[in-house]
Amino acid sequence: MDMTRSLLEVKNLRKHFPIKKGFFSAVRGHVFAVDGVDFSLAPGETLGLVGESGCGKTTLGRAILRLIEPTAGEIFFEGQNILTADQKQMLDLRRKMQIIFQDPYSSLNPRMTVGDIIAEGLRNHGMGNASQKRDAIAAIMKKVGLRPEQISRYPHEFSGGQRQRIGIARALILNPKLIICDEPVSALDVSIQAQVINLLVSLQEEFGLSYLFIAHDLNVVEHISDRVAVMYLGKIVELAKDTDLYQAPKHPYTEALLAAVPVPSPKLKKKRILLQGEIPSPIHLPQGCRFYPRCPSRKNICAEHEPEFKNLDGAHWVACHLY
């Protein structure tokens, strides 16, 4: 994986949640939410991260920002390992790394005005006086499609799409380089989704942003991403340029996901790939390939050995014994 000009590098990242039981809260096992993830993100690039619910996408995004502490691995941002950074260093790094949350209502404090919500980052970092903050808030509100005169309103006075624009403004106010987009449009109506996606694209071009775009909607991911990573039970099983992955998927799980995407015309017929069985528990993972119990192309080796994450042609990575 070429990381020579990366903004973000993630190496063997793991997040295991302990399961505690009994009077003394003894650890009886672990939930392997993220279990050995590697990828890089270049300046100005969008990496889409897709997979079924519970595969570890959101946990991965929050672990990268250290909103939850990883169990093991390395995360390099502009060459600095953020997992070894102290509190002061992390405060400086957080100016450059921001997040947009999935729910545009629960992520906003209902007791704070829009202006206070957007300015929270400026206050935490001690940036600007009152006049400068107000000017910065008004400017960023215009950028995201809100009116500066709405600065004194509260979140409940806005629609879902407008609330997500507030969340975007809050992420942008510190002029970051990386934004983790944690399913930022999944809670919105389809027509509003398109507006927010187009806004994110235009903001990326204007500010030179890098996005890790987490979603389960493959159509949305295809529209915004330069590369796409497919995640299954805590691991990335395929990573490729968006056109390569959508036109020539390699992993059987990716093929099944793409086959389930609805087509826009009732006259078009698509061959569905029906996966058998249930998703294995993230507590008791299969010994070999994690997709083995549901894979239509499984071999005997798949039950015994976990496949290596291999580079097929320089830009297409896959973890599958078929290759």
Side-chain angles (χ1 to χ4, degrees):
M1 197 175 300
D2 183 12
M3 297 183 177
T4 56
R5 53 181 294 271
S6 300
L7 176 72
L8 176 72
E9 299 176 23
V10 176
K11 298 182 179 181
N12 197 28
L13 189 65
R14 301 174 187 271
K15 178 57 185 177
H16 302 166
F17 293 98
I19 302 171
K20 298 181 179 180
K21 293 183 180 180
F23 182 77
F24 295 103
S25 297
V27 176
R28 303 297 185 182
H30 289 85
V31 176
F32 299 96
V34 177
D35 195 33
V37 168
D38 298 86
F39 69 87
S40 64
L41 185 64
E45 182 188 24
T46 298
L47 176 65
L49 183 63
V50 301
E52 294 171 290
S53 296
C55 71
K57 304 187 301 294
T58 292
T59 301
L60 174 59
R62 298 190 180 199
I64 289 171
L65 297 178
R66 286 185 67 181
L67 297 179
I68 53 176
E69 286 294 328
T71 303
E74 296 176 304
I75 305 169
F76 292 92
F77 183 81
E78 295 186 319
Q80 180 181 357
N81 188 351
I82 71 171
L83 297 186
T84 62
D86 58 27
Q87 188 173 5
K88 183 180 183 303
Q89 290 171 327
M90 276 308 302
L91 185 65
D92 293 336
L93 284 167
R94 291 194 190 284
R95 288 182 55 185
K96 304 176 184 179
M97 303 186 297
Q98 292 292 305
I99 186 169
I100 301 169
F101 294 99
Q102 176 178 354
D103 190 335
Y105 190 74
S106 63
S107 64
L108 304 178
N109 190 333
R111 297 185 178 183
M112 295 174 66
T113 66
V114 168
D116 289 336
I117 290 171
I118 296 174
E120 197 166 13
L122 297 176
R123 289 195 301 273
N124 291 341
H125 291 276
M127 299 172 62
N129 56 36
S131 175
Q132 291 170 332
K133 289 176 184 176
R134 191 171 184 88
D135 290 343
I137 295 167
I140 207 67
M141 289 181 71
K142 289 180 180 178
K143 291 288 185 185
V144 301
L146 297 171
R147 301 194 309 274
E149 55 266 29
Q150 296 173 315
I151 194 170
S152 299
R153 295 186 181 181
Y154 290 86
H156 71 270
E157 300 179 73
F158 294 85
S159 66
Q162 289 175 320
R163 286 195 289 264
Q164 195 58 292
R165 291 172 188 266
I166 297 169
I168 294 171
R170 176 176 59 185
L172 280 176
I173 193 70
L174 292 174
N175 194 25
K177 295 183 178 181
L178 169 67
I179 296 182
I180 307 288
C181 303
D182 185 10
E183 304 214 29
V185 297
S186 62
L188 307 177
D189 294 338
V190 175
S191 60
I192 305 301
Q193 286 183 8
Q195 295 176 19
V196 173
I197 290 296
N198 290 335
L199 173 63
L200 290 172
V201 171
S202 65
L203 291 171
Q204 182 178 40
E205 293 174 353
E206 182 174 354
F207 293 101
L209 300 168
S210 295
Y211 293 144
L212 176 62
F213 193 91
I214 300 168
H216 61 267
D217 189 328
L218 289 163
N219 286 327
V220 170
V221 171
E222 182 181 19
H223 180 75
I224 195 172
S225 301
D226 299 303
R227 291 186 299 147
V228 179
V230 180
M231 197 167 181
Y232 185 80
L233 278 180
K235 280 187 173 291
I236 291 177
V237 297
E238 187 166 3
L239 173 62
K241 294 179 180 178
D242 59 336
T243 52
D244 293 343
L245 186 131
Y246 279 82
Q247 294 176 10
K250 303 299 184 184
H251 199 282
Y253 177 61
T254 308
E255 293 177 343
L257 286 180
L258 292 174
V261 176
V263 293
S265 171
K267 296 180 180 180
L268 297 175
K269 300 295 182 182
K270 179 185 284 190
K271 183 181 178 181
R272 297 293 297 273
I273 300 175
L274 299 178
L275 299 178
Q276 304 297 322
E278 297 294 327
I279 302 175
S281 167
I283 303 173
H284 305 291
L285 294 170
Q287 177 181 345
C289 175
R290 300 179 183 201
F291 190 56
Y292 168 79
R294 305 171 71 199
C295 182
S297 304
R298 60 181 177 261
K299 301 178 179 180
N300 291 335
I301 190 176
C302 303
E304 301 169 1
H305 301 285
E306 187 172 353
E308 181 186 350
F309 196 48
K310 297 180 180 179
N311 186 343
L312 299 184
D313 59 5
H316 203 136
W317 294 72
V318 66
C320 183
H321 287 300
L322 294 176
Y323 306 94

